DNA sequence: TTGCTGACCGACG
DNA sequence: CCGTCGGCCAGCA
C-alpha cells in the first residue's frame, strides 16, 4: 500500500482502527510497527487525543505490554474501558486482561506493509 | 524558544 | 521482586 506522508498521530489512528473486534494490542506494538519502537508513550498520547478525532478510534483495544488497562482513567468513566472489552468477549480482572496472549493482535506480524 | 509532561518500555542494580 | 532511569517526541505555557 502507498505510504503517504502522515503525521505520527494519523498513523497511530490508522493502525488502531484496524484492530479487529475482540482483539487487543499494545502501545509498544503499534510504535514498533510504525518504525519507532521507543515511541510507545506517543502512542498513548495519541490515544488521549483520539477522543477529539473525527473518526472513531477503538482506544479500549490498546493496553500496555502486560495487558493492563493503564489508560482506563482517560475514558471519563474509569469502568468504561473494561466494559467495552468485556462487551467484546474479553475478560478483565484487576485491570488486567485474562489470557492476554490469546487476544493479542500484533500489527508487526498481522500487517505486512509498512 | 525552552522546558516540562506523559494511556510506555526495556535495562539495570 | 522492586524502584529508578534514559529514550522516545508531540503539545503546551
Amino acid at each position: 500500500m502507498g505510504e503517504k506522508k502522515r503525521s505520527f498521530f494519523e498513523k497511530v489512528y490508522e493502525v488502531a482502527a484496524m484492530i479487529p473486534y475482540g482483539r487487543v494490542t499494545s502501545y509498544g506494538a503499534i510504535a514498533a510497527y510504525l518504525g519507532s519502537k521507543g515511541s510507545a508513550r506517543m502512542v498513548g498520547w495519541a490515544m488521549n487525543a483520539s477522543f477529539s478525532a473525527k473518526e472513531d478510534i477503538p482506544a479500549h483495544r490498546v493496553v500496555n505490554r502486560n495487558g493492563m488497562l493503564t489508560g482506563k482513567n482517560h475514558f471519563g468513566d474509569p469502568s468504561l474501558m473494561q466494559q467495552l472489552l468485556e462487551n467484546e468477549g474479553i475478560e478483565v480482572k484487576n485491570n488486567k486482561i485474562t489470557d492476554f496472549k490469546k487476544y493479542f493482535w500484533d500489527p508487526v506480524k498481522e500487517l505486512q506493509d509498512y
Side-chain angles (χ1 to χ4, degrees):
Chain A
M1 266 54 118
E3 181 195 342
K4 290 182 292 186
K5 289 206 172 182
R6 285 157 283 161
S7 69
F8 188 80
F9 275 35
E10 289 175 315
K11 291 180 182 177
V12 170
Y13 293 157
E14 286 184 20
V15 178
M18 287 189 274
I19 304 173
Y21 179 95
R23 304 292 297 283
V24 294
T25 191
S26 69
Y27 304 99
I30 293 177
Y33 172 73
L34 295 179
S36 47
K37 193 182 175 187
S39 299
R41 302 167 90 183
M42 281 294 92
V43 176
W45 193 243
M47 289 299 107
N48 185 40
S50 74
F51 288 105
S52 55
K54 302 181 181 82
E55 47 184 323
D56 289 336
I57 308 297
H60 62 284
R61 298 189 188 133
V62 185
V63 298
N64 80 349
R65 69 187 155 123
N66 298 316
M68 299 182 69
L69 282 52
T70 50
K72 68 170 194 168
N73 291 321
H74 296 265
F75 282 77
D77 180 356
S79 66
L80 181 58
M81 188 174 187
Q82 177 170 338
Q83 286 177 23
L84 291 170
L85 288 171
E86 290 178 335
N87 201 38
E88 298 187 6
I90 298 174
E91 183 185 49
V92 178
K93 258 183 196 173
N94 299 323
N95 298 327
K96 186 175 180 181
I97 295 175
T98 306
D99 292 329
F100 179 51
K101 286 186 177 179
K102 177 179 167 186
Y103 301 106
F104 185 64
W105 178 83
D106 187 355
V108 176
K109 294 170 64 178
E110 304 292 339
L111 304 176
Q112 298 299 324
D113 66 289
Y114 139 61

